[in-house]
């Protein structure tokens, strides 16, 4: 199985409105709720691709109970979330139907006590025993040490389990130093980590800081990969418009599934780009349009080798 870790799980709520205007009341045309947080989004996509997945992290309060109840209905996903006294956060995405733009509101999450963090680490070590790979995803809730992901990376490496890290800021900086197998920052996160706004130089700098491989998400321009086996850019055959919520998480699922299937890097990147674009085209945040995914793969995601930075 594949293990995904979402320390700051959420209940994702999506509102659709005819047009979003500041300082105005809005009539909501549609509301959807679903378990959220980056690792849970990754898990749903992996399960849809046929990979058994176990999810862990924290869940608490009535919102946490709603998240767990919803997860119970997702085929292929096993719930191993750890209880926490605080309430799981909510995130609200407001989709403007006129423009297709999305406005996101994210709560900080529950305060995690030291005893809860210690219990989680013990449970995590036990879950690694049955994992083919692990993804560490998203923000840290209050109370969790800023170096938490670095410790979880080291635990996975000690267990011989490949680890993907997808976070930002100081948790990413410290996590990279623990030498994860793969990181997947976006352009802003990569620039913050390395100080370089030139993507190719920045991905190379991130590898020097400790990551074995780096796949940078460049938005509509697709992905840039810097790996021991080579460097590639991958982009969809045409620009897509829609709701980008969860698109990066779908890319992570594509990369992780390709890793455990031992696919060559160009195939992993093509899958990740097709899943990401198909997520943008989905009417529900964080879902992917399977027909669009298969069509995008069939039309051929452009994957090209990249030369060294000058």
């Amino acid at each position: 199985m594949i293990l995904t870790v979402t320390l700051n799980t959420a209940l994702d709520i999506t509102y659709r409105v005819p047009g979003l205007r500041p300082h105005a009341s809005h009539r909501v045309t549609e509301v959807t709720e679903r378990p959220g947080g980056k690792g849970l989004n990754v898990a749903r996509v992996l399960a849809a691709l046929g990979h058994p997945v176990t999810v862990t992290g924290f869940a608490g309060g009535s919102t946490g109970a709603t998240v767990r109840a919803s997860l119970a209905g997702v085929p292929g996903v096993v719930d191993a979330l750890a209880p926490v006294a605080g309430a799981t956060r909510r995130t609200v995405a407001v989709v403007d139907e006129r423009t297709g733009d999305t406005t996101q509101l994210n709560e900080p999450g529950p305060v995690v006590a030291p005893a809860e963090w210690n219990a989680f680490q013990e449970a995590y070590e036990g879950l690694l025993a049955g994992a083919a790979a692990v993804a560490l995803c998203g923000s840290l809730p209050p109370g969790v040490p800023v170096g938490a992901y670095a410790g979880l990376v080291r635990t996975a490496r000690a267990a011989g389990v490949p680890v993907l890290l997808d976070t930002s800021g100081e948790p990413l900086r410290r996590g990279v130093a623990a030498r994860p197998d793969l990181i997947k920052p976006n352009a802003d996160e990569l620039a913050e980590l390395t100080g370089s706004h030139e993507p190719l130089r920045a991905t190379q700098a991130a590898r020097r800081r400790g990551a074995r491989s780096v796949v940078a998400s460049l938005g509509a321009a697709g992905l840039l990969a810097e790996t021991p086996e080579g460097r590639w850019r991958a982009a969809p055959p045409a620009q897509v418009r829609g709701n980008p919520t969860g698109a990066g998480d779908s890319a992570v699922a594509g990369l992780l599934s390709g890793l455990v299937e031992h696919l060559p890097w160009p195939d992993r990147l093509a899958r990740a780009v097709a899943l990401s674009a198909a997520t943008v085209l989905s009417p529900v945040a964080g879902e992917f349009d399977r027909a669009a995914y298969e069509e995008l793969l069939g039309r051929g995601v452009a994957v090209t080798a990249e030369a060294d930075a000058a």
Side-chain angles (χ1 to χ4, degrees):
M1 63 87 175
I2 298 174
L3 177 65
T4 71
V5 176
T6 313
L7 296 178
N8 210 4
T9 54
L11 180 65
D12 287 346
I13 304 167
T14 301
Y15 294 137
R16 300 184 70 88
V17 297
L20 184 61
R21 304 180 308 281
H23 316 299
S25 297
H26 297 79
R27 184 175 298 278
V28 176
T29 58
E30 182 183 354
V31 181
T32 58
E33 291 186 351
R34 53 180 296 127
K38 294 177 73 65
L40 296 190
N41 294 338
V42 171
R44 274 194 303 271
V45 176
L46 286 169
L49 294 173
H51 289 276
V53 189
T54 296
V55 298
T56 191
F58 295 111
S62 59
T63 306
T66 300
V67 166
R68 302 190 80 161
S70 298
L71 280 175
V74 182
V77 175
V78 174
D79 174 5
L81 293 169
V84 65
T88 294
R89 67 188 178 128
R90 296 162 296 181
T91 69
V92 178
V94 183
V95 180
D96 185 325
E97 295 176 331
R98 178 177 53 85
T99 65
D101 292 336
T102 301
T103 299
Q104 192 82 17
L105 305 173
N106 298 328
E107 295 179 358
V111 176
V112 176
E116 293 169 332
W117 173 236
N118 292 336
F120 170 80
Q121 291 178 89
E122 292 181 11
Y124 168 74
E125 189 169 359
L127 289 168
L128 285 172
V134 58
L136 309 174
C137 302
S139 62
L140 300 178
V144 172
V146 70
Y149 281 135
L152 297 181
V153 168
R154 287 190 288 266
T155 301
R157 287 178 54 82
V161 178
V163 55
L164 182 155
L165 177 62
D166 184 15
T167 187
S168 61
E170 187 66 12
L172 175 60
R173 189 184 70 81
R174 296 198 187 194
V176 166
R179 304 186 66 82
D181 294 271
L182 174 62
I183 63 171
K184 195 217 68 65
N186 62 32
D188 290 339
E189 292 162 352
L190 185 62
E192 182 181 6
L193 173 66
T194 65
S196 174
H197 290 271
E198 200 293 307
L200 183 53
R201 290 191 180 90
T203 55
Q204 293 173 333
R207 281 201 68 210
R208 288 193 294 271
R209 289 172 179 264
R212 177 173 172 79
S213 297
V214 181
V215 177
S217 176
L218 305 179
L223 301 176
L224 171 63
E226 169 77 17
T227 81
E229 290 79 23
R231 304 172 187 87
W232 294 271
R233 288 185 187 265
Q239 187 172 353
V240 295
R241 288 185 57 83
N243 184 356
T245 304
D249 304 328
S250 292
V252 168
L255 295 169
L256 204 57
S257 62
L259 184 154
V260 300
E261 294 173 28
H262 306 290
L263 297 181
W265 270 104
D267 291 346
R268 299 185 203 183
L269 295 168
R271 178 182 291 180
V273 167
L275 282 169
S276 180
T279 299
V280 173
L281 293 170
S282 173
V284 178
E287 296 282 0
F288 75 93
D289 184 316
R290 183 172 288 276
Y293 164 61
E294 293 173 355
E295 181 183 355
L296 284 160
L297 276 183
R299 291 165 59 192
V301 173
V303 182
T304 57
E306 187 76 17
D308 285 333

